[in-house]
Amino acid sequence: MSAQVTTRRLTQADLAKLYLAGEKIVMFTCYDASFARLLDGAGIETMLIGDSLGNVIQGHDTTLPVTVSDIAYHTAAVKRGSDHAFIIADMPFGSYQESPEQAYRNAVTLMAAGAQMVKLEGGSEMAATVEFMVHRGIPVCGHLGLTPQSVHVLGGYKVQGKGEAAAQRLKEDALALQKAGATMIVLEAIPAGLATEVTAQLDIITIGIGAGKETSGQVLVLHDAFDIPPGKKAKFVRNFMAGASSIHDAACRAVAAIKDGSYPGPEHTYAG
Ligand code: KIV
């Protein structure tokens, strides 16, 4: 089953089927109805209303200024523009770290705007919050590795999980999120070998960005994939507009490259 042949919106169960069948899951970030329509037409299975909108839509240097209402506004637009893709909304900085109750309240706003799942950054320290939300009807996606909301703690946008201790911590964080009930984890900017190990140790979907090709799927930031400014493009970015006849064609090429495993290539991955 793939998004191209479904006539309804995909569910978590549909994504689980793709995962169990070993088919790579394709996720794009998306922020508006026009691109949602275009990505839907290219068979993209999941759209993430990422807090990267702080950078690519609002022009900030970090994702920190993004609010719950910003994400809710863009989630509603993406929902209106798409009929098929599974919709995930990012929980912005400061909207979930205080307490499980705070996280739940803000996640409710995002689900009411049209999200089918919310994503939050962090590992073991967020496990109780994830459990609280999942038990109350909110599917959760974790996010490990380079977590942009912690840019000031990390000291910049740097590859994470390097070295034995850091790799071990990340593996434990992934297991803690799974145990708490998360059904998907984004792995950002970590060595490919570590992402492979994390993916192998879990029974849930991993979605990589700068994490090699062995994750259960890939997420592309729309502005990266279509070579839209602003921002310096990271090592893991491929410009799918190169050689494409249209944005639709570029989106179809991205889907094909992820599905057949030709993206990401060795030149897009980090060593341990
Ligand atoms: O906000 C975002 O776009 C993200 C992706 C990079 C995974 O979190």
Side-chain angles (χ1 to χ4, degrees):
M1 191 211 64
S2 92
Q4 280 104 324
V5 295
T6 58
T7 52
R8 55 165 175 78
R9 191 171 295 283
L10 295 181
T11 64
Q12 269 213 94
D14 295 319
L15 298 181
K17 274 188 209 153
L18 293 176
Y19 166 70
L20 290 172
E23 183 172 336
K24 297 287 182 193
I25 295 167
V26 183
M27 181 188 293
F28 257 66
T29 67
C30 190
Y31 317 99
D32 66 39
S34 304
F35 272 112
R37 181 69 57 215
L38 189 139
L39 297 179
D40 228 27
I44 277 136
E45 289 132 352
T46 31
M47 292 184 207
L48 168 68
I49 297 78
D51 62 356
S52 51
L53 71 83
N55 305 98
V56 299
I57 303 291
Q58 298 174 334
H60 296 296
D61 287 340
T62 71
T63 58
L64 305 190
V66 176
T67 65
V68 172
S69 357
D70 292 337
I71 299 280
Y73 173 89
H74 289 278
T75 297
V78 169
K79 172 87 185 296
R80 284 191 295 271
S82 64
D83 297 318
H84 304 305
F86 184 80
I87 295 184
I88 305 178
D90 237 347
M91 300 207 64
F93 180 61
S95 72
Y96 60 93
Q97 291 93 341
E98 210 172 289
S99 67
E101 288 80 2
Q102 181 214 21
Y104 177 77
R105 254 194 326 276
N106 286 318
V108 164
T109 301
L110 300 180
M111 299 293 284
Q116 294 163 279
M117 176 180 272
V118 298
K119 175 169 83 59
L120 50 79
E121 298 182 5
S124 314
E125 74 283 6
M126 294 314 304
T129 295
V130 170
E131 192 171 345
F132 186 93
M133 292 161 80
V134 172
H135 282 170
R136 285 158 184 78
I138 302 191
V140 178
C141 173
H143 184 156
L144 296 172
L146 172 51
T147 46
Q149 292 174 14
S150 301
V151 59
H152 297 305
V153 171
L154 300 176
Y157 297 102
K158 298 175 181 164
V159 179
Q160 301 297 308
K162 288 186 126 184
E164 210 166 300
Q168 186 55 32
R169 252 195 328 274
L170 196 139
K171 286 192 256 183
E172 285 165 14
D173 281 339
L175 284 171
L177 290 172
Q178 172 174 273
K179 186 155 178 266
T183 40
M184 194 182 289
I185 301 181
V186 166
L187 300 173
E188 178 166 357
I190 62 171
L194 175 57
T196 303
E197 281 184 61
V198 172
T199 300
Q201 75 172 3
L202 298 177
D203 302 316
I204 58 173
I205 295 166
T206 57
I207 301 286
I209 173 162
K213 63 190 285 187
E214 300 302 333
T215 49
S216 329
Q218 299 288 329
V219 53
L220 305 186
V221 173
L222 182 147
H223 289 59
D224 288 346
F226 299 152
D227 199 30
I228 304 171
K232 180 171 167 282
K233 303 301 183 197
K235 174 189 169 85
F236 53 77
V237 170
R238 181 191 285 180
N239 170 13
F240 284 96
M241 285 303 290
S245 57
S246 63
I247 305 175
H248 173 78
D249 183 33
C252 292
R253 286 168 182 241
V255 173
I258 290 170
K259 294 280 183 194
D260 71 17
S262 57
Y263 176 82
E267 71 278 23
H268 303 117
T269 63
Y270 299 107

